[in-house]
Amino acid sequence: ILHQLANLMRRKFGGKLNISSKAFAMDCRKKLSTEITDFRQHIRELKMERKVLYPRLCEPVVTDVLPALRQQHQDLFIYTSQLVEAIKLHSPMQDQGTIDRVISFLDDCAELLHFGDLSILDIPFLCMDVLGPLMAPDNFPCHLMGKLDGKVKKADISYVIRQFQSLHKKSFSVQIDTIIRLLESFELTFLVEGTDDTYMFPSHLPFKKVADMWKRDDRNKVYVGRRVKCSSETSLISPGAFSLFQCRACVRLHRQAQLWENGIIIRRAKTVRSHVQCLVIMAIPLGAVDIVCH
């Protein structure tokens, strides 16, 4: 089955997709396991085999400037002004506008992450060792006591970061608020309305919804539904994509909402004439999303 799927992907993407002939079985909760170490090494080998061609102005930054900065700075974050000065020293670029465009291009290529006045040079470390642990409920003290509602205190986020920071040589000189802004910019969490220190993490939500969340209401005479489905039976909707949708819906619609792992109910503020609700559920298996409004 895997062989057939790989051939299908090769035909669809042609030479633009490099598919490995190896398969790995890993437990993503054990980051230091032999299997994950082997997987990381294999990814590096694949990257070396398929050399990325950068524009002429970007090439010295990728090959000389960024490796030198990663060697010099043990901190996960550096100020973008430091990056700009390093580029000026190692390359002929002096025009600030050109440097800004180079940094923006390398940000798009994931060679670095440009975030306001800060830059992150080690994106794999950020994802796997800073943001990754925050996505796992088991790492939070409140969940060890059986609480599982997706809501996390700012102090608990700080606790998890300190716990994992002690395991690595890299330090975080920035405040916890910067990490939270990163999480919000990636739509991994959002501030719970009416609080100033409680955040909702869709990745921490329980699987089942409360029984009376969605029930018949005689005031609602019209029900409208639609299923958004993958066009191919071999395609799936990423579970992570649904978490992003939950965050975006709550932040942008500014509506009351009830959430669980694979669903969300959005309510319009009740008025005399309006009792509108919308139910969105990720179908199992992950090939479709069902939307119902009444």
Side-chain angles (χ1 to χ4, degrees), residues 243-281:
S243 294
L244 297 180
F245 164 73
Q246 290 173 311
C247 279
R248 187 171 298 188
C250 291
V251 171
R252 296 195 179 184
L253 297 179
H254 300 290
R255 297 284 187 257
Q256 295 179 343
Q258 290 175 290
L259 306 111
W260 62 102
E261 184 179 331
N262 65 329
I264 178 174
I265 295 175
I266 305 169
R267 291 184 171 84
R268 184 174 178 178
K270 289 188 176 182
T271 64
V272 175
R273 298 181 179 180
S274 176
H275 296 274
V276 179
Q277 296 186 77
C278 180
L279 168 68
V280 185
I281 297 179

Side-chain angles (χ1 to χ4, degrees), residues 116-149:
D117 60 344
L118 296 170
S119 291
I120 300 166
L121 306 183
D122 192 344
I123 295 178
F125 181 82
L126 171 72
C127 295
M128 298 193 70
D129 297 287
V130 182
L131 303 185
L134 294 172
M135 298 298 102
D138 290 347
N139 293 329
F140 285 80
C142 60
H143 295 304
L144 297 178
M145 297 182 289
K147 180 184 176 184
L148 189 66
D149 61 1

Side-chain angles (χ1 to χ4, degrees), residues 10-22:
R10 286 191 180 96
R11 288 197 300 271
K12 186 173 183 179
F13 291 96
K16 297 179 181 179
L17 188 65
N18 190 7
I19 302 177
S20 171
S21 59
K22 293 185 178 180

